[in-house]
Amino acid sequence: MDQSVAIQETLADGEYCIIAVQGMLCEGDSRQSRLLGLVRYRLEHGGQEHALFLYTHRRMAITGDDVSLDQIVPVSRDFTLEEVSPDGELYILGSDVTVQLDTAELSLMFQLPFGSHTRMFLQEVARACPGFDPATPDPEFRWLSRYRCTQPQSQLPTPHGWNSAPGTWPGCARIGGGRYPSRNGLWGLEEARSGAGSVLFGGGAVEQTGLRLAEVAREGGPLWGRSGRRGRRDEEVEEAGREMSAAAGSRERDSAGSSHFDDLRPNGKGLFVDQSSWGQDKPEDLLPRQNKSKSEITDMVRSSTITVSDKAHILSMQKFGLRDTLVKSELVQREEDYTYIQNFRFFVGTYNVNGQSPKECLRPWLRHSVEAPDVYCVGFQELDLSKEAFFFQDTPKEEEWFKAVSDCLHPGAKYAKIKLIRLVGIMLLLYVKEEHAAYVSEVEAETVGTGIMGRMRFHNTSICVVNSHLAAHTEECERRNQDYKDICSRMQFCQVDPGLPPLTISKHDVILWLGDLNYRIEELDVEKVKKLIEEKAFQTLYAYDQLKTQVAAKAVFEGFTEGELTFQPTYKYDTGSDDWDTSEKCRAPAWCDRILWKGKNITQLSYQSHMALKTSDHKPVSSVFDIGVKVRNEELYRKTLEEIVRSLDKMENANIPSVSLSKREFCFQNVKYMQLQVESFTIHNGQVPCRFEFINKPDEQSYCKQWLNANPSRGFLLPDSTIEIELELFVNKSTATKLNSNEDKIEDILVLHLDRGKDYFLSVSGNYLPSCFGSPIHTLCYMKEPILDLPLETIRELTLRPLWTEDDGSQLENPMEIPKELWMMVDYLYRNAVQQEDLFQQPGLRSEFEHVRDCLDTGMIDTLSASNHSVAEALLLFLESLPEPVICYSAYHNCLECSGNYTASKQVISTLPTFHKNVFNYLMAFLQELLKNSAKNHLDENILASIFGSLLLRNPAGHQKLEMVEKKKAQEFIHQFLCNSP
């Protein structure tokens, strides 16, 4: 969790904690926990200074009361923080990052947790270093004088359970030889995880754009990737609908350690370059270093740094221009000229552990093959089922299962952990043999609500591994299909050039998909299924397998292959036995746990379950593959590269690039709220390589309006090549209101610019169908007819009508007390869903949401036919799309101030505009009805307050992320009304 919020409480005005990381202070054999916070202070003349604040702390620092300032280290010109490798340690599986902090006065060593957050911390510290520019005045750090204690407070007791360094006092911090007091206040807690960064730096600032995961580099080059964390409700639903599960953050863990930096120096632009070849740009400089030592290989596997020691990978940086881009593109096209296929042994395993800790040795699963695998891909589901794991994204079982796997890898080889990725209960582990580590690069990760994906480049082959846990229950086959499609559409990696389209799952040479896919046996009763299993008639049983029928119908996993099922179903067993489920539900056995693959040169050697393991109600499954990987022949690579460079030398001329467009006018008809429309066209290049980009028009901030997107928006074209561009139009809560009121229209002009060439103009037009989604509450109350039956001018007039003039004797008499669309959804749920389990917590189907929207906008409520979850999802989206929330922005801060005081809270509600007050009371009455059925629907006041608090109460600065203290107060405000009768 981001403990910088706790540090912020202790700081004075003008001081800001940028980022914090928890680590271990190493002094000899002693290990003491410290919280390290990077603090920025803005000077009056406009500059800024930084210092590293070190705190002793309780186990998890949530507020300022949980920390005590121990020491302050100014980030001065002599400040360095360097990642080091402890003496004698060449390789430690899953080791932490060891860093050395040095100034003229002190030297400290810390161990920081491996992972993206640590890299982000190190990157921010790098940026904070003041640099060596003699024209820049030396930092003076006068602002730190406020922390100096006049007398050492040696009598202050250390609270029980706190970590305090010998010879220090809580509330004081050392700067040089002095001690400085700490201040406490009140603040909140906000969860945030991000990834990236450089590690080696001195006084010079190192600038890097974007937050990136560290890589395991083949050549030591800048192979960058990006990751992000997924929230409970994504901001938009461009591709995959909404996740109704609560906030599920991902933890991404990477290998960490020291790197080889001989002859490397920072160049001041975010790159580390080899000074021995600085300024040279010969073709031979594109060739990689050869013959890495074993220690170099090990360090690269453990490294969380970005290094550049040759120009082959510098090509991936935009600054090196068109020629280098063309060289790189030609090398990709001619890959077959300098690579050959070599088989490597892959072990792929999946295990749903049902929230259990490892209770038995995993060797029967992980070591069943005689030959040691070259690569391990091990996936878990339901790692931890506790609420703590769900809400705090942390669980001790991650470390337990990681250790259990690491201890049981094949004894015939030493392995390096390439990646550990976890999203709540789903975890993926990737290992390679240590001798292969130098040939692994571009290691990245991505997560969505139902799956996680790791990718890497092994030699010259891109490999993607997906671990997913799809929707449960026999009848939820369609939801499983949607989960699969959501994973495919939403899991993507942004490339180095942001204008290039992201890498999706399908853009990899090899795809390995594993997990608890949850497809069941249908059309057979339980006894018949068990009888066929007893007879080992697996192929007969397989004919009734849902996954088989869905693949045959091309609904999911098109192009994937699965081996023959020669083992009995892996679910559901009584825990600790091989007996089928004897619980009250007595679920039918099913092959829930599966492994599929897609790609060329893949041979499956085995596919089996492992009955010896009885920890869970599932049995683990494994598959061993021989996968043909493209390996580079260095002599042929050199020859190919020289041919490309010679060819470019001949081709260079002063020709102006020119392209032809298949289409220049685009009309989007009947655009609807949150329903994606796509129009495409192709760009065909002439005989000169060129870059293209959609550029901003004069005085505009973006190349297109907010509801439009071009994919890709920029790129590079080889001679006589073609690329398809998709124009994606998607109206969401941010853009719907102005389109409803006709303040904005589906009209835009795009400018396609060619580098060193001319501009092309594309016309976009269309019509938007107004919707109740994105319309103000008071507007809808005055609409007695469905919105699509009203003239556009009437909709415009009502939408632009001021909120506080609702009772001014308008010609529109007798408005409704609440919007009819809101009543339709709530009435439907009241009649059909008050006992629905997990209401508002499971996502609806996209197609059903579109049906609900159309019914509301046309008033054809009698035709409404959708699942309870889809209608509930529509209700939440409706509330979220309101331009003015139910509790008006003007009342937001008053609500937070009186949360916990029910009388004062009711008074605030009474001051709302009439329509808003009516809606609030109506929703509270409905939610209280749901709570009366909590035994069936499993809802409680806390869950509903958590879901509706952020929808009914929104910060006026809606684009800003709320601190956890504000979220808790908003929930507490709603909680009062759920617990008290009106």
Side-chain angles (χ1 to χ4, degrees), residues 229-363:
R229 134 180 128 83
R230 297 287 180 189
R232 179 196 151 274
R233 299 185 55 80
D234 293 320
E235 190 64 24
E236 297 181 359
V237 198
E238 285 87 349
E239 299 181 16
R242 300 241 177 197
E243 294 296 337
M244 289 299 301
S245 52
S250 63
R251 295 187 59 192
E252 298 172 357
R253 298 287 182 88
D254 291 289
S255 42
S258 64
S259 289
H260 185 71
F261 279 92
D262 293 344
D263 300 322
L264 297 182
R265 296 295 182 267
N267 69 353
K269 296 184 179 180
L271 293 174
F272 290 92
V273 298
D274 188 343
Q275 289 186 333
S276 63
S277 60
W278 209 328
Q280 303 174 20
D281 203 9
K282 302 176 184 177
E284 55 266 31
D285 291 331
L286 296 168
L287 299 171
R289 280 190 310 177
Q290 302 297 316
N291 304 321
K292 291 183 175 64
S293 69
K294 181 177 179 181
S295 62
E296 285 179 290
I297 293 172
T298 301
D299 286 344
M300 288 169 65
V301 172
R302 297 174 53 226
S303 174
S304 60
T305 65
I306 297 171
T307 66
V308 177
S309 55
D310 60 82
K311 289 191 173 63
H313 286 92
I314 295 180
L315 284 175
S316 65
M317 303 300 296
Q318 296 180 42
K319 62 173 282 205
F320 285 87
L322 180 63
R323 180 183 174 90
D324 291 327
T325 302
L326 185 58
V327 171
K328 186 175 181 180
S329 300
E330 287 288 340
L331 282 171
V332 172
Q333 287 201 347
R334 297 182 57 180
E335 190 177 49
E336 292 183 358
D337 294 347
Y338 56 86
T339 60
Y340 61 93
I341 301 298
Q342 179 177 334
N343 279 339
F344 291 86
R345 184 68 49 88
F346 279 65
F347 173 96
V348 181
T350 179
Y351 194 6
N352 182 319
V353 297
N354 193 31
Q356 304 297 311
S357 295
K359 301 173 183 176
E360 50 195 348
C361 181
L362 302 182
R363 291 173 187 170

Side-chain angles (χ1 to χ4, degrees), residues 389-450:
F390 187 71
F391 285 107
F392 296 105
Q393 294 86 50
D394 200 7
T395 171
K397 290 179 180 168
E398 173 185 311
E399 185 64 28
E400 293 172 5
W401 282 104
F402 165 62
K403 186 177 186 304
V405 171
S406 300
D407 290 345
C408 293
L409 299 178
H410 201 288
K414 291 185 67 177
Y415 290 91
K417 180 181 64 61
I418 295 300
K419 195 76 173 174
L420 184 155
I421 319 156
R422 185 176 65 80
L423 171 67
V424 190
I426 313 174
M427 184 167 77
L428 178 63
L429 288 163
L430 302 178
Y431 303 83
V432 298
K433 281 184 178 178
E434 194 175 57
E435 58 265 31
H436 299 323
Y439 303 99
V440 176
S441 63
E442 300 178 33
V443 181
E444 303 169 38
E446 186 57 274
T447 66
V448 298
T450 54

